[in-house]
Every structure is written in structure tokens, then in C-alpha cells.
Amino acid sequence: MKNKRLISPSFLSANFLHLEKDIEMINKSEADWFHLDIMDGVFVPNISFGMPIIKQINKLAKKPLDVHLMIVDPDKYINDFKEAGADILTVHYEACRHLHRTLQSIKLAGMKTGVSLNPHTSVDLLEDVIQDIDVVLIMSVNPGFGGQNFIENTYAKVRKLKKIITEKNSNTLIEIDGGVNLQNAEKLFEAGADVLVAGSAVFKSENPTKTISLLKNE
Ligand code: DX5
Ligand code: ZN
């Protein structure tokens, strides 16, 4: 299957004093999803934002909310995230003791399922659940902060995961998160990625709308 070329700008790097402006910019841009990073200060050494902010963004966002949970015990909050407006709910492999059960709960709540892998976690571990996953989010930095350097081993992980998905005849999308920029976007799509998350590359650029377009079409 030919890969999609979707862009999911990460609001971690947005201007929280002018969120409305940034949401409208994404609505009008060629971006496909809104990437929202939820951090609990336990799974990752940082705290971001939670339900109230997601709910506000959901009021204005005209594209799917791609919610990336970097929290322990995500099962506790699945229905709350649905209520807040999440369309895709991504949990970390490393945070789930019973991943298969968690995926069923996300589906039952009416959302697309996502599983994220830290840089040290092998894509092979998803072989037996790949059919239940709509999106695999490969972390290309250690989760917790925006603006970090891209880890080069990611390309090999993408190729390996693409092979598993094809062999299992699954429709799972591959999403990449961390250090994505105009230098590596094309190479990632070529390796088999379908969705690229970009935080600082978009929001810290002079012309975010144009950067989104370049990331997507270069
Ligand atoms: C990091 C988050 C990312 C982050 C990416 O833990 O999951 O989504 O916002 O930021 P950049 O694109 O700046 O690396
Ligand atoms: Zn993220």
C-alpha cells in the first residue's frame, strides 16, 4: 500500500497565549491532524497540559485530535480523553501492562488506537497486536520535550515495522515523533512513514503554514 503523507503539528511548541491563532492557522494549513502531547511528570520528566486544554482546542479544531499520552496507567482516563475530544488515542507500549486490553478499551470508547514506542523499544514487540493498532507512533527522540535531536536509528525501525505491517496485511499507519524537520521529512516518508509530527520545526519557523506545506510535499 502506498503510504500517506500526513502532517500532525505538535501543540507543545505552540504559543499558549494565542492558542486560538495557532489553531486557526492549522485549520487553514495543509496539516492533517492536531498532535497533543499529554505528560504526567512520572512516565516522562515533564508535565504538559490536560483535559481542559484539549476541550478548548476541540471547540475550534476542524481536523482530528491526535492525542499522545506520555502517562502511566492510561487505562484510567480513556473515557475522559474521548469526552475531551480525542479522535486518535496513543498510549505508550512501556506504560501498558495489558496492551491488548487497553487497545480494546480505546476502540470500545470509539477512538482510533495508537501505540507509541520509545527509542529503545523494538518494533518486533508489536507483531502480535498489529492488527489492533491504527497508528504506531515511533519516538525519534526520548519523550518529554520538544526541540531535541532526531535519532538516526529511526529509519531502520520504520523499514522493519513497514515489513511487519505488510506481512500481516494490516492497515496500520506509521507516525514519527521527535526532531522531524525539513531535512529528514522526505527520507522518513521514503522509508515508509505515513504521518510526521513536527513541533518546533513548524511553530518556531518564520512561516508555519509554508513549513507544513514543505514538510508534506517536498
Ligand atoms: C516529545 C513529544 C513531541 C514533541 C515534538 O515528547 O512527543 O510530540 O512535541 O517536538 P519536536 O518536533 O520539536 O521534536
Ligand atoms: Zn508527541
Side-chain angles (χ1 to χ4, degrees):
M1 196 174 77
K2 199 173 175 298
N3 56 332
K4 300 197 161 80
R5 285 176 165 241
L6 309 181
I7 304 293
S8 189
S10 166
F11 270 67
L12 200 58
S13 298
N15 182 347
F16 279 76
L17 276 180
H18 301 282
L19 256 192
E20 189 170 351
K21 209 173 125 233
D22 283 344
I23 296 166
E24 291 302 347
M25 183 274 291
I26 299 298
N27 279 342
K28 289 192 194 116
S29 76
E30 289 178 59
D32 299 276
W33 298 346
F34 285 73
H35 188 82
L36 305 180
D37 290 297
I38 313 303
M39 305 177 183
D40 65 354
V42 181
F43 183 71
V44 286
N46 195 7
I47 298 177
S48 58
F49 51 84
M51 313 301 174
I53 299 278
I54 302 177
K55 283 184 184 159
Q56 296 302 324
I57 293 176
N58 189 42
K59 283 185 192 161
L60 296 175
K62 298 202 175 97
K63 298 171 183 184
L65 300 191
D66 169 31
V67 177
H68 176 194
L69 301 185
M70 284 159 273
I71 65 173
V72 296
D73 220 351
D75 299 77
K76 275 204 308 219
Y77 305 101
I78 289 172
N79 290 320
D80 296 324
F81 281 109
K82 170 66 185 172
E83 247 175 70
D87 295 287
I88 303 148
L89 195 65
T90 296
V91 295
H92 261 265
Y93 177 87
E94 302 84 5
C96 296
R97 200 181 290 266
H98 300 286
L99 181 62
H100 183 272
R101 180 183 290 152
T102 304
L103 293 171
Q104 306 315 316
S105 306
I106 295 172
K107 269 194 242 183
L108 196 66
M111 294 174 286
K112 298 265 186 216
T113 59
V115 176
S116 183
L117 301 178
N118 275 338
H120 70 272
T121 307
S122 170
V123 296
D124 291 334
L125 294 163
L126 296 181
E127 212 180 320
D128 292 318
V129 278
I130 200 73
Q131 308 268 13
D132 293 301
I133 307 174
D134 294 303
V135 185
V136 174
L137 177 61
I138 297 181
M139 287 307 304
S140 38
V141 298
N142 284 293
F145 303 93
Q148 302 180 79
N149 289 336
F150 181 83
I151 297 171
E152 295 289 324
N153 183 50
T154 306
Y155 299 112
K157 284 179 92 163
V158 174
R159 283 187 216 107
K160 206 169 171 193
L161 177 59
K162 186 79 187 171
K163 202 163 160 254
I164 294 171
I165 292 170
T166 309
E167 278 169 10
K168 294 274 180 180
N169 218 351
S170 182
N171 292 320
T172 313
L173 299 179
I174 303 177
E175 183 174 13
I176 311 299
D177 187 6
V180 172
N181 55 38
L182 289 171
Q183 281 70 53
N184 54 26
E186 179 60 29
K187 222 172 137 190
L188 284 165
F189 280 136
E190 271 168 22
D194 301 281
V195 191
L196 302 183
V197 174
S200 41
V202 167
F203 288 101
K204 306 276 181 253
S205 73
E206 254 177 50
N207 186 341
T209 309
K210 189 170 169 208
T211 304
I212 290 166
S213 174
L214 289 172
L215 284 167
K216 204 177 163 87
N217 301 308
E218 213 158 77

